[in-house]
Amino acid sequence: MSDRRPVPAVRGPAAALVAAVAVVLAAVVSLVPSARPAAAATLQEVTGFGTNPGNLQMFRYVPAGLPAGRPVVVALHGCTQNATGYGPATGWLSLAERWKFTVVLPQQKSQNNANSCFNWFEPGDTRRGSGEALSIKQMVDKAKQDNGATSAYVSGLSAGGAMTAVMLATYPDVFSGGGIVAGLPYQCATSVAGAFGCMNPGTNLSPAQWGDKVRAAFAHSGPRPKVSIWHGSADTTVRPLNGTELVEQWTNVNGTDQTPDVSDTVAGYPHRVYGGTVEHYSITGMNHGQPVDPGTGATQCGGTAAYMLDVNVCAAYHLARFWGIDGGGTGPTNPTATTVRPPYTDTITATATDHYLAQRIDVGEYNTLGARYGYTTPFALYRCGTDWTDKADCSAI
């Protein structure tokens, strides 16, 4: 990993004097996704979207045949990355074609931050109504106005993930959901020096302390956004503690406890859901980056590149599903489908003995599953019709 460091947001002639260091929250190598079929639309720069106090660039992807009123998804790149690479590599552009929504891709300028990081630790850029936060909100306003959209969502990687937390905290009346990938809690740092400790080893506060930081950003009486949190268990740049602290922050904000209501696995990775409004994926063995799963399957998306990591699960796909914006187009392998739903209707995690006592399985299945998982180790069963199986694709035990 590079040893670059965060720099404060400095604009104008003085920028060159402070551009010696920047936060490494993504790759030094430019983002070049693996080859994928060409999309019908193109990524275009948009100017004149507002006062733009954060001095950011706006790029937008509008799929052909976009119905009026479909949502807006904001995708925030990491340090040294850019909009034109980040959009295709994450899979957001292919998903926009499949499910018909607009993608807005803000892009940082090197004169704002030497490593093109969004300034997630600068007070002037992380308050409602100022700096980069306001610039991004103005981009959403422009995209909504042009297509009559009534909802917006935001996701980002690393510095972009930290900036996603900023947008969810400062504009909960604008965003219905968020996806924080390898990011940090809102207001974990308010200075360059503080950013280092937040990244590694991380900052441990109580859920209420984290929640108070969000509530202080904007007095919001309405529903809070749904938040999906993704973190690699082997992340050495933004330590996994940040994923845990993000769960505490957003469960507290959304009024639920830190005991998961659902504990299962997705593509083999631990997945927890809290109150239906916060979820957490721990990508076992993954270092710093965005999970992707290149391919043409119904659940696949994204392309490999620096810090775009092929771990057989595409975060963007699951984010869109969690937000509920996956119903506006057709899937790649089924032209008549308008959405892709899991084949099971319920999931319960328990030991083999508990599953048997609850009459989900018979004695033969009990012995099979006991031999497979052990009799005292909890595992997930999926309800498929009237039967239960340990296979998420509903194949038999």
Side-chain angles (χ1 to χ4, degrees), residues 61-394:
Y61 185 88
V62 182
L66 178 69
R70 288 294 293 159
V72 174
V73 172
V74 178
L76 295 162
H77 64 74
C79 298
T80 76
Q81 298 178 339
N82 57 43
T84 55
Y86 185 72
T90 54
W92 280 120
L93 302 195
S94 63
L95 291 173
E97 283 292 331
R98 187 194 310 184
W99 290 326
K100 302 304 180 188
F101 51 79
T102 299
V103 182
V104 168
L105 295 120
Q107 183 167 292
Q108 183 61 282
K109 296 181 180 180
S110 59
Q111 59 261 45
N112 299 340
N113 184 292
N115 225 27
S116 297
C117 313
F118 292 106
N119 286 301
W120 58 273
F121 48 85
E122 280 296 320
D125 286 307
T126 59
R127 289 194 296 261
R128 183 181 176 97
S130 69
E132 292 175 10
L134 179 55
S135 289
I136 295 168
K137 190 263 186 182
Q138 290 175 344
M139 295 180 198
V140 174
D141 290 343
K142 170 65 174 173
K144 280 185 169 182
Q145 180 181 8
D146 288 350
N147 196 56
T150 58
S151 62
Y153 303 82
V154 58
S155 179
L157 166 65
S158 204
M163 201 68 189
T164 294
V166 169
M167 300 311 298
L168 296 174
T170 55
Y171 291 102
D173 51 338
V174 173
F175 295 102
S176 300
I180 303 171
V181 183
L184 302 101
Y186 175 66
Q187 290 282 289
C188 183
T190 57
S191 68
V192 175
F196 298 132
C198 285
M199 292 166 59
N200 190 349
T203 300
N204 187 357
L205 299 180
S206 71
Q209 286 174 312
W210 284 124
D212 286 345
K213 291 176 181 290
V214 173
R215 285 182 286 271
F218 178 63
H220 183 61
S221 59
R224 291 279 179 173
K226 298 178 68 174
V227 184
S228 182
I229 297 156
W230 294 68
H231 221 106
S233 69
D235 193 331
T236 57
T237 301
V238 179
R239 300 294 295 183
L241 175 63
N242 286 285
T244 301
E245 299 304 294
L246 279 163
V247 168
E248 293 185 356
Q249 182 168 65
W250 293 100
T251 52
N252 184 265
V253 168
N254 279 305
T256 187
D257 58 29
Q258 285 74 55
T259 302
D261 302 291
V262 175
S263 297
D264 59 5
T265 60
V266 175
Y269 298 113
H271 170 241
R272 305 289 182 263
V273 183
Y274 305 82
T277 61
V278 177
E279 66 172 358
H280 178 247
Y281 287 84
S282 178
I283 308 303
T284 311
M286 190 182 79
N287 206 325
H288 192 63
Q290 173 114 0
V292 297
D293 185 14
T296 58
T299 65
Q300 292 181 292
C301 63
T304 55
Y307 293 91
M308 298 286 112
L309 306 180
D310 183 358
V311 292
N312 298 316
V313 62
C314 186
Y317 169 85
H318 291 280
L319 286 171
R321 293 282 312 282
F322 183 63
W323 298 336
I325 64 171
D326 55 337
T330 58
T333 58
N334 183 358
T336 64
T338 58
T339 185
V340 180
R341 298 294 180 193
Y344 54 88
T345 57
D346 194 11
T347 179
I348 294 178
T349 298
T351 66
T353 301
D354 289 338
H355 285 310
Y356 176 71
L357 292 174
Q359 299 185 331
R360 300 182 195 106
I361 53 177
D362 60 29
V363 66
E365 293 168 330
Y366 169 73
N367 289 327
T368 298
L369 294 171
R372 187 174 296 168
Y373 299 102
Y375 293 92
T376 59
T377 302
F379 60 91
L381 282 186
Y382 302 89
R383 187 181 187 115
C384 302
T386 58
D387 298 321
W388 292 83
T389 175
D390 61 330
K391 306 293 180 23
D393 62 359
C394 280

Side-chain angles (χ1 to χ4, degrees), residues 46-72:
V46 178
T47 59
F49 55 85
T51 58
N52 191 18
N55 191 31
L56 304 178
Q57 290 176 275
M58 174 183 177
F59 290 83
R60 178 170 61 182
Y61 185 88
V62 182
L66 178 69
R70 288 294 293 159
V72 174

Side-chain angles (χ1 to χ4, degrees), residues 28-54:
V28 173
V29 182
S30 61
L31 217 58
V32 182
S34 57
R36 297 183 62 81
T42 59
L43 188 63
Q44 297 183 335
E45 184 171 3
V46 178
T47 59
F49 55 85
T51 58
N52 191 18

